[in-house]
Amino acid sequence: MRKTFTDLHRHALNGPTMGTRWSALFHAPADFDPGPVEAAMAAAVAAVDAQMSTWKPESDINRLSLASPGEWVSLPPQPMQVLEAGLAVGRASGGAFDIGMGDAVAAWGFGAEAADTDRIRRARERVRRPAHEVLELDRTQSRVRKREQMAFDLNGIAKGYGVDRLCETARAFGIQGALLAIDGELRALGNQPDGSPWAIAVEAPDPERRAPHSVLALSDAAVATSGDYRHWVQVGDRRLSHTMDPRRGMPLAASPASVTVLADTCMNADAWATAMMVLGVDRGLPLARAMRLSVLFLDRDGQGTGTGHFSADVQKIPA
């Protein structure tokens, strides 16, 4: 007799990664052993962290940052894939998403070291070219080189890629429906056991509390949110976002309170959420519509609930 969804057991796995936690929610028969899945998922995100973290001196992305201009650097397939995606979003967004902001991120204290005023000044004064004009990828030999000195930071895309790796791992174990996440990046694999889509809360942009603004219904898609209300630096009476403005080499002076993007992969959703934060509603909304991206911009309304601007129809349920 075929099992129904009421015969399935709920499994909620999680563990530490990238300074936060990964999670996986799925249902399986009673005799299913989640131990191997948990171990494989932990290994998958650990590999992403080891390759792409700026906090790990030996990571592949740090090797690339330290390499001399013109020097070819061999990389594993995974960081090559992320670099290629990051450069593609950089081009399409007109440089709003830029993986070459590592010096500015570190200078402002969003990396492994404290903020440094001399490094902040140098980051602001530097004449910048976007990473997609500086970095050359040789896909046939899995290597890259930069035409000038540049430090790289993949924090705006690596977590999303980590979620995609969780999704690949779930599929490898025959799991057909799951909700995978790292921090604010999520991907829905299939549907819930009863056939309904996964319900994903979009957080209200309120730094004082955690509450939903709305709920998205997600099936075989990914979502990522970038905002200014969880990670920031205080400068005088101003609170500056951790998102960098590539044109100025410093945190964004003004931005939406948050941007939520739906995409086919979490890697793309993650990168585009950052790009749309930089572009803002006035520049981002027309681009999102032209590219048929589903984007929700939230502006703070004074009560922490946020007012929204949509680029496309999204199956949304008020919270």
Side-chain angles (χ1 to χ4, degrees):
M1 180 183 230
R2 184 176 178 181
K3 291 182 181 294
T4 67
F5 72 87
T6 56
D7 299 317
L8 302 177
H9 287 220
R10 181 180 184 272
H11 296 279
L13 312 180
N14 70 88
T17 189
M18 304 182 201
T20 182
R21 298 190 72 81
W22 65 268
S23 65
L25 175 63
F26 61 93
H27 297 75
D31 58 353
F32 182 86
D33 180 6
V37 179
E38 185 172 19
M41 287 184 172
V45 294
V48 175
D49 195 23
Q51 293 168 338
M52 304 179 204
S53 173
T54 56
W55 293 69
K56 299 182 183 299
E58 70 283 1
S59 71
D60 293 301
I61 199 64
N62 279 335
R63 287 197 299 113
L64 179 58
S65 293
L66 294 173
S68 301
E71 175 188 353
W72 285 108
V73 178
S74 296
L75 294 177
Q78 293 84 1
M80 286 290 293
Q81 181 182 356
V82 173
L83 288 174
E84 185 172 6
L87 297 182
V89 175
R91 292 187 196 95
S93 66
F97 181 75
D98 194 343
I99 60 174
M101 297 297 295
D103 61 320
V105 172
W108 283 90
F110 290 114
E113 300 176 2
D116 183 279
T117 54
D118 288 338
R119 294 170 72 186
I120 288 173
R121 176 182 50 78
R122 290 196 296 270
R124 292 181 59 183
E125 294 175 351
R126 176 183 164 191
V127 177
R128 293 183 175 276
R129 292 174 62 198
H132 62 265
E133 294 182 0
V134 173
L135 197 61
E136 179 183 356
L137 275 62
D138 180 355
R139 297 165 187 80
T140 60
Q141 298 191 53
S142 194
R143 61 181 187 171
V144 297
R145 67 178 174 184
K146 52 191 181 185
R147 298 185 179 92
E148 61 186 54
Q149 187 57 48
M150 180 172 281
F152 299 94
D153 186 282
L154 298 179
N155 285 336
I157 192 171
K159 286 181 182 177
Y161 178 72
V163 174
D164 291 335
R165 293 301 312 278
L166 290 174
C167 187
E168 292 171 9
T169 304
R171 283 190 175 126
F173 279 89
I175 297 170
Q176 299 179 359
L179 184 62
L180 302 315
I182 298 177
D183 207 6
E185 286 67 57
L186 302 96
R187 183 165 172 176
L189 174 61
N191 292 310
Q192 297 191 65
D194 63 358
S196 63
W198 297 92
I200 310 297
V202 176
E203 193 174 45
D206 187 348
E208 304 302 326
R209 64 190 181 99
R210 290 188 179 273
H213 168 273
S214 53
V215 178
L216 304 178
L218 212 63
S219 175
D220 278 325
V223 62
T225 297
S226 183
D228 68 354
Y229 54 93
R230 290 287 173 241
H231 305 289
W232 66 80
V233 290
Q234 193 79 26
V235 179
D237 59 352
R238 297 183 63 190
R239 181 179 289 177
L240 298 179
S241 167
H242 71 291
T243 302
M244 292 292 151
D245 184 346
R247 298 167 300 179
R248 301 164 63 236
M250 59 183 298
L252 290 172
S255 70
S258 73
V259 179
T260 298
V261 175
L262 276 67
D264 55 343
T265 68
C266 205
M267 176 172 62
N268 285 333
D270 196 5
W272 275 112
T274 299
M276 291 295 164
M277 279 288 291
V278 173
L279 290 169
V281 175
D282 291 343
R283 291 190 297 153
L285 204 55
L287 178 61
R289 286 172 175 159
M291 298 191 64
R292 302 182 66 83
L293 280 173
S294 294
V295 181
L296 167 62
F297 294 86
L298 288 184
D299 295 321
R300 197 167 286 106
D301 62 5
Q303 299 179 0
T305 56
T307 54
H309 307 269
F310 296 86
S311 69
D313 290 334
V314 179
Q315 191 176 351
K316 184 173 73 71
I317 309 163

